[in-house]
Amino acid sequence: MPEGVLLSEREGAVLWLTLNRPRYRNALNIALITALDDALAEAASDDGLGAVVIGGAGPHFCSGHDLGSPGRDLEKPFRRVATTWYDHSDKEGAEAILVREDEAYLSIPLRWRELPKPLIAMVHGACVAGGLSLIWPADLIVASEDAYFADPVVRMGIPGIEYFAHQYVMSTRIAREFLLLGDRMSASRAYEVGMVNRVVPRDELRETTARLAERCAARPRFGVALAKRALNAVEDRMGLRDGMSTAFGLHQVAHAHSALTSDDHVGGQNPRSIARDLAPE
Ligand code: ZN
């Protein structure tokens, strides 16, 4: 993995992870996803650690899955901890896309949701598309006033990101608007609709997050782990995983349709065309 795509820093019982591809708005390539997955796996086993914060370097938290940086590494194998799939990197067509997306864009974020310690997302600037699959599995989301959120992938002919949790992080009415219009949602509106826990001025973001992380970290380890199990179980009984599974299948049909009818699997869109189209709210 190229060095430095993820920075890691320990302060007391809190682990601070920083996405570090600022030049590419922290676009998620396999190297970065793997680095995050490794760091969280290590955090899970570290008894001295009580909470994990994920933030981003540079002007934006995360622009989503990497659609066009020089470090785009779609063909790079990733570390598989499960036996669910084989290596996608030497496969073609829908086989390569589905295997990669199922592991990197769905199973891994679902694993992050199962982290037995509080996971806190600290968001500033843009958090778009695949960036949402970093924050929605978290327990708390702290946003600065300049943060905004969007899932613009219907523009690519795709029915929502792989981690299809829209209707669990906001009401289903607002989720319909969020997905079908695909506009920016400001931090203040994200707070109003219940998607984020705190909105603070940018210069207070780290301090507010630190206070919350320290408070979470001070809770008993086993109690926190059990509470997270219970919370996740209830969301699962409400249909989170079933719905995600159906949406993921439809998402793969969309990629295959795009690949069959055009030159790529994302409806001819690229980071620039998406950014141009993402009008402020
Ligand atoms: Zn996809």
Side-chain angles (χ1 to χ4, degrees):
M1 139 201 354
E3 268 187 29
V5 292
L6 184 71
L7 306 178
S8 176
E9 177 191 355
R10 178 85 174 251
E11 271 178 26
V14 178
L15 179 68
W16 294 78
L17 299 175
T18 305
L19 314 176
N20 191 37
R21 301 186 73 210
R23 194 165 167 206
Y24 307 108
R25 310 305 191 220
N26 299 320
L28 295 166
N29 58 3
I30 300 291
L32 181 48
I33 290 171
T34 305
L36 263 171
D37 198 43
D38 284 343
L40 291 176
E42 230 174 86
S45 308
D46 184 340
D47 284 348
L49 206 58
V52 181
V53 176
I54 299 179
H60 296 285
F61 175 76
C62 182
S63 58
H65 297 143
D66 193 339
L67 292 178
S69 88
R72 192 185 192 199
D73 53 5
L74 293 183
E75 276 77 42
K76 183 179 168 178
F78 42 82
R79 180 183 57 82
R80 287 174 303 284
V81 298
T83 52
T84 321
W85 282 117
Y86 36 75
D87 185 359
H88 78 286
S89 63
D90 58 350
K91 309 298 185 295
E92 294 183 322
E95 184 178 19
I97 300 172
L98 186 147
V99 171
R100 171 169 49 78
E101 296 217 342
D102 195 10
E103 182 65 27
Y105 299 163
L106 183 59
S107 301
I108 287 179
L110 278 169
R111 206 149 68 219
W112 298 343
R113 176 174 171 260
E114 303 283 344
L115 186 78
K117 313 194 175 196
L119 181 61
I120 302 175
M122 180 178 71
V123 185
H124 68 286
C127 178
V128 175
L132 298 168
S133 61
L134 279 181
I135 68 167
W136 286 350
D139 300 295
L140 304 181
I141 302 175
V142 186
S144 57
E145 289 166 346
D146 65 312
Y148 64 89
F149 308 85
D151 183 0
V153 304
V154 171
R155 288 168 174 78
M156 305 174 177
I158 297 171
I161 59 164
E162 296 81 1
Y163 193 93
F164 198 88
H166 310 64
Q167 290 147 295
Y168 295 85
V169 296
M170 61 187 95
S171 77
T172 190
R173 180 67 50 210
I174 303 298
R176 285 169 188 269
E177 174 188 342
F178 187 72
L179 190 53
L180 295 175
L181 295 182
D183 288 338
R184 291 182 184 204
M185 178 183 279
S186 65
S188 59
R189 188 153 195 237
Y191 181 77
E192 277 167 26
V193 304
M195 195 179 88
V196 306
N197 299 85
R198 301 278 191 284
V199 178
V200 296
R202 177 75 170 268
D203 60 1
E204 293 173 19
L205 182 61
R206 174 138 182 150
E207 196 195 319
T208 303
T209 307
R211 275 203 309 271
L212 290 168
E214 282 156 16
R215 290 186 61 205
C216 286
R219 302 286 182 256
R221 177 178 62 240
F222 192 39
V224 165
L226 294 175
K228 288 201 55 169
R229 285 262 163 163
L231 291 161
N232 287 339
V234 170
E235 287 174 0
D236 290 344
R237 300 301 185 279
M238 289 161 71
L240 176 79
R241 279 177 184 262
D242 280 353
M244 265 186 191
S245 179
T246 299
F248 185 77
L250 299 169
H251 180 109
Q252 294 307 315
V253 169
H255 280 318
H257 179 70
S258 180
L260 283 167
T261 57
S262 70
D263 293 337
D264 62 39
H265 68 286
V266 288
Q269 298 280 352
N270 59 54
R272 277 203 180 81
S273 64
I274 293 287
R276 247 196 328 267
D277 212 20
L278 257 188
E281 195 182 354

